[in-house]
């Protein structure tokens, strides 16, 4: 049957209108949910501290939601001060902490990057503005506490659109967060972003059930505390999806400056190894696997970003001793200390020396073995398979793990790498030169006021809290008697005289 011209025109108009509506809908969807804005940074250090790794799709939290979470759930925070109570580094003039990126992918989203664990601060006194050192060990940042806060918030009935949108309106009215949201964006937040984020957090929590399990003797696993994580279990349960076990391998966040002296082969042509138990032979592999753990996607630009990070961190020098005016290095003592270092320390800690970046057997080093138990040949093989499956070509993780023990790293910038040993169980260099039984059994972590004599961070004073002004310690207690926290081993230098120990510490300040 032939259609009348008027009917044909109506059908054509309807089809054109439908196509236009579909195109507008697609454009709206792309604009509001997928459009990416390019990041621009003044230099590579800023890029390291605030740049995206591309994890916004899986891990991104909508910016305004992230902004108001501490206001909605102050009782779930570890203390006052919002996100600062987690020990994050927050530079003056920045709207987000170091180690966080704010990137527009449809809408502004917040994710973490490498700097969340690898940025250090130090002060000489309470009233001094913290000095920020990129690529230093993030000894103040309590990552586990932050994760637990997000998961507890997602379970809380206050995590709903009405309450959160009310806080977002208040924030916008006070001109925080660069203004407010349009009517359309408010509806997107109310009906999509807030409920979807809550659901995503509850799903993500399932990937972290292992960190809340009980250890073999029925006790809960100790808290990581500031400046630490359970590094290889994170890799194991995210990248390999292996069955959970009772291992607990707490690891101190390392410095990641000067990575070039840790890669390749030593002076004798032997392969150097990275990670605390020599799990990988290449800087690029460490960077890639760490970024994948933060939710980064396997895209070509991601691999280019890893190459750029490798180049930046491999050539970034360690920070020099900064206290020349108030606590200058005694050059005469340091010169004597260099002789002691050359005799007793250099073969394991001088860059590219015979045993540097090699695994020292646990029977020799004698330090806490729990981190060593948390990784295995099977885990390495499975991690290599998964990364290859993603289409990423990187040097494979080591699947021999022989001997079992810990890598002896170079000591560049050692003055800022406290607390010491692989699990951060010894607060100062001077304590490390004491026999295990004379090292502090307990101390508090997360404080950044520096002790230039003992070389490490001071024990924080208790603070007046509560209505009666009673004194309490706001920093987490580190107990070396707990699983994975042992401060034994590494007895090198403990036999030195008090005078020689002073000389050695003075020299170590120069590295």
């Amino acid at each position: 049957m032939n259609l009348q011209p008027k009917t044909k025109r109506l059908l054509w108009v309807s089809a054109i209108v439908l196509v236009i509506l579909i195109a507008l809908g697609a454009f709206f969807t792309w604009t509001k949910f997928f459009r990416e804005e390019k990041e621009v940074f003044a230099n590579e250090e800023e890029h390291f501290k605030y740049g995206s790794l591309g994890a916004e799709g899986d891990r991104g939290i909508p910016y305004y939601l992230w902004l108001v979470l501490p206001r909605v759930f102050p009782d779930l925070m570890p203390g006052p001060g919002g996100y600062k109570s987690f020990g994050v580094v927050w530079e003056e003039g920045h709207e987000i902490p170091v180690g966080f990126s704010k990137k527009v992918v449809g809408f502004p989203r917040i994710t973490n990057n490498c700097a969340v664990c690898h940025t250090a601060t130090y002060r000489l006194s309470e009233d001094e503005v913290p000095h920020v050192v990129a690529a230093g060990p993030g000894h103040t940042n309590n990552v586990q506490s932050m994760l637990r806060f997000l998961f507890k918030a997602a379970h809380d009935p206050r995590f709903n659109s009405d309450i959160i949108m009310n806080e977002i309106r208040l924030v916008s009215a006070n001109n925080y967060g660069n203004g407010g949201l349009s009517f359309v964006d408010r509806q997107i937040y109310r009906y999509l972003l807030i409920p979807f984020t809550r659901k995503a957090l509850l799903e993500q929590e399932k990937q972290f059930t292992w960190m809340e399990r009980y250890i073999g003797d029925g006790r809960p696993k100790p808290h990581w505390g500031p400046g630490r994580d359970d590094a290889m279990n994170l890799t194991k349960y995210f990248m390999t999806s292996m069955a959970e076990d009772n291992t607990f391998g707490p690891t101190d966040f390392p410095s990641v400056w000067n990575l070039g002296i840790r890669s390749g082969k030593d002076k004798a042509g032997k392969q150097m190894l990275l990670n605390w138990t020599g799990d990988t032979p290449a800087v690029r592999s460490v960077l890639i696997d760490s970024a994948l753990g933060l939710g980064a996607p396997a895209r070509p630009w991601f691999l280019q970003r890893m190459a750029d990070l490798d180049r930046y961190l491999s050539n970034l020098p360690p920070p020099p001793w900064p206290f020349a005016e108030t606590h200058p290095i005694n050059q005469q003592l340091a010169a004597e200390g260099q002789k002691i270092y050359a005799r007793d320390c250099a073969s394991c800690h001088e860059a590219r020396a015979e045993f540097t970046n090699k695994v020292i057997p646990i029977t020799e080093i004698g330090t806490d073995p729990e981190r060593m138990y948390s990784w295995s040949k099977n885990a390495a093989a499975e991690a290599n398979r998964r990364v290859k499956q993603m289409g990423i070509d990187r040097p494979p993780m080591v699947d021999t793990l022989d001997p079992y023990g810990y890598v002896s790293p170079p000591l560049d910038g050692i003055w800022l790498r406290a607390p010491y040993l692989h699990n951060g169980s010894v607060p100062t260099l001077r304590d490390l030169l004491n026999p295990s039984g004379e090292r502090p059994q307990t101390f508090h972590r997360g404080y950044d006021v520096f002790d230039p004599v003992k070389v490490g961070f001071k024990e924080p004073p208790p603070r007046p809290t509560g209505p009666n002004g009673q004194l309490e310690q706001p920093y987490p207690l580190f107990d070396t008697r707990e699983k994975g926290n042992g401060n034994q081993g590494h007895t090198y230098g403990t036999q030195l005289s008090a005078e020689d120990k002073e000389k050695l510490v003075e020299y170590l300040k120069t590295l």
Side-chain angles (χ1 to χ4, degrees):
M1 182 176 65
N2 293 327
L3 297 177
Q4 296 297 320
K6 187 174 181 180
T7 304
K8 287 183 178 182
R9 283 196 301 273
L10 181 60
L11 289 175
W12 271 107
V13 170
S14 299
I16 292 170
V17 169
L18 181 61
V19 169
I20 291 173
L21 289 174
I22 292 173
L24 288 174
F27 180 75
F28 176 85
T29 302
W30 174 78
T31 300
K32 291 297 182 182
F33 297 99
F34 301 104
R35 173 183 57 89
E36 293 193 26
E37 290 186 2
K38 186 177 180 180
E39 297 177 297
V40 179
F41 297 96
N43 51 55
E44 190 58 40
E45 179 179 319
E46 289 293 295
H47 198 173
F48 172 76
K49 291 190 290 188
Y50 299 105
S52 167
L53 293 175
E56 289 78 18
D58 289 338
R59 304 284 177 84
I61 297 179
Y63 170 69
Y64 284 94
L65 172 57
W66 174 85
L67 192 66
V68 302
L69 283 177
R71 294 168 59 98
V72 178
F73 306 104
D75 53 313
L76 302 183
M77 306 291 287
Y83 288 111
K84 284 187 177 181
S85 65
F86 296 117
V88 296
V89 178
W90 208 318
E91 295 182 293
E92 187 175 352
H94 287 266
E95 63 176 325
I96 57 176
V98 173
F100 291 70
S101 70
K102 178 186 177 185
K103 185 178 180 181
V104 172
V105 181
F107 52 89
R109 313 185 195 203
I110 298 290
T111 53
N112 290 125
N113 61 28
C114 302
V116 73
C117 299
H118 302 293
T119 300
T121 63
Y122 66 89
R123 298 174 291 164
L124 266 181
S125 64
E126 285 273 2
D127 56 0
E128 186 178 19
V129 175
H131 301 271
V132 177
V133 182
H139 56 270
T140 64
N141 198 353
N142 198 330
V143 173
Q144 187 179 48
S145 182
M146 193 182 310
L147 287 170
R148 285 171 169 163
F149 163 72
L150 292 173
F151 300 148
K152 287 178 182 177
H155 281 283
D156 197 292
R158 289 171 293 178
F159 201 119
N160 65 68
S161 294
D162 288 338
I163 291 176
I164 290 175
M165 286 307 302
N166 184 56
E167 289 297 329
I168 289 176
R169 279 193 294 270
L170 291 174
V171 166
S172 300
N174 290 324
N175 292 321
Y176 292 127
N178 293 331
L181 293 168
S182 67
F183 172 80
V184 172
D185 288 339
R186 289 198 300 273
Q187 308 317 304
I188 291 174
Y189 261 83
R190 175 177 290 277
Y191 295 108
L192 294 177
L193 299 186
I194 293 172
F196 282 7
T197 300
R198 183 181 192 185
K199 181 180 178 182
L201 287 173
L202 293 173
E203 285 298 314
Q204 188 180 20
E205 183 186 22
K206 297 175 183 177
Q207 296 179 299
F208 284 92
T209 55
W210 57 271
M211 76 177 185
E212 307 295 355
R213 300 289 190 207
Y214 288 83
I215 53 181
D217 58 4
R219 293 177 298 158
K221 292 178 180 178
H223 301 312
W224 300 348
R228 303 199 314 167
D229 64 1
D230 192 348
M232 302 316 291
N233 275 326
L234 278 167
T235 299
K236 192 162 58 182
Y237 301 134
F238 278 135
M239 188 183 295
T240 72
S241 301
M242 295 181 70
E244 292 184 20
D245 52 41
N246 288 326
T247 61
F248 176 64
T251 308
D252 209 53
F253 295 148
S255 62
V256 290
W257 56 58
N258 211 19
L259 292 183
I261 66 170
R262 295 158 168 79
S263 62
K265 297 184 178 181
D266 66 12
K267 297 172 183 176
K270 295 181 180 179
Q271 180 65 50
M272 296 190 294
L273 300 173
L274 296 101
N275 284 350
W276 280 114
T277 55
D279 313 304
T280 180
V283 169
R284 190 72 57 87
S285 295
V286 175
L287 295 175
I288 287 173
D289 292 350
S290 298
L292 291 174
L294 288 172
R299 299 179 186 174
W301 74 263
F302 162 73
L303 295 178
Q304 181 58 51
R305 178 62 190 142
M306 293 299 99
D308 293 342
L309 266 179
D310 188 345
R311 184 166 50 253
Y312 167 64
L313 296 173
S314 290
N315 294 287
L316 181 66
W321 180 257
F323 310 116
E325 292 186 6
T326 57
H327 296 82
I329 294 173
N330 185 318
Q331 295 300 331
Q332 183 176 352
L333 283 183
E336 292 297 317
Q338 184 175 18
K339 297 174 185 177
I340 299 170
Y341 171 84
R343 183 191 69 204
D344 296 344
C345 312
S347 62
C348 286
H349 293 297
E350 187 68 18
R352 303 186 186 279
E354 182 180 3
F355 301 111
T356 306
N357 284 113
K358 311 294 193 312
V359 176
I360 308 301
I362 191 64
T363 52
E364 164 67 20
I365 193 70
T367 48
D368 190 294
E370 297 300 332
R371 160 63 178 86
M372 186 182 69
Y373 298 150
S374 67
W375 195 241
S376 66
K377 298 178 182 180
N378 290 339
E382 181 63 11
N384 290 333
R385 188 187 72 81
R386 290 295 182 98
V387 172
K388 189 174 182 179
Q389 193 177 52
M390 296 177 192
I392 296 176
D393 183 19
R394 58 102 163 107
M397 300 189 79
V398 176
D399 59 8
T400 53
L401 301 181
D402 183 26
Y404 280 94
Y406 291 105
V407 165
S408 54
L411 302 185
D412 49 328
I414 192 65
W415 69 269
L416 190 56
R417 286 159 59 181
Y420 297 100
L421 296 185
H422 72 272
N423 56 0
S425 59
V426 182
T428 72
L429 278 181
R430 190 60 186 80
D431 292 318
L432 187 60
L433 292 175
N434 289 333
S436 300
E438 298 177 18
R439 296 167 183 170
Q441 191 173 73
T442 62
F443 60 97
H444 293 87
R445 290 189 56 131
Y447 191 54
D448 69 346
V449 173
F450 196 79
D451 185 338
V453 176
K454 298 183 71 174
V455 187
F457 296 100
K458 293 182 177 180
E459 182 68 8
R463 310 294 175 89
T465 59
N468 299 320
Q470 61 267 33
L471 295 179
E472 291 185 2
Q473 179 54 255
Y475 293 91
L477 181 72
F478 185 93
D479 190 337
T480 62
R481 295 164 294 187
E482 290 189 320
K483 185 181 178 72
N485 289 356
N487 64 358
Q488 71 272 18
H490 196 282
T491 58
Y492 314 106
T494 59
Q495 79 290 347
L496 294 173
S497 67
E499 183 180 358
D500 282 351
K501 289 177 181 179
E502 183 181 359
K503 293 175 181 177
L504 179 57
V505 168
E506 204 68 12
Y507 173 68
L508 294 176
K509 296 176 184 178
T510 71
L511 297 180

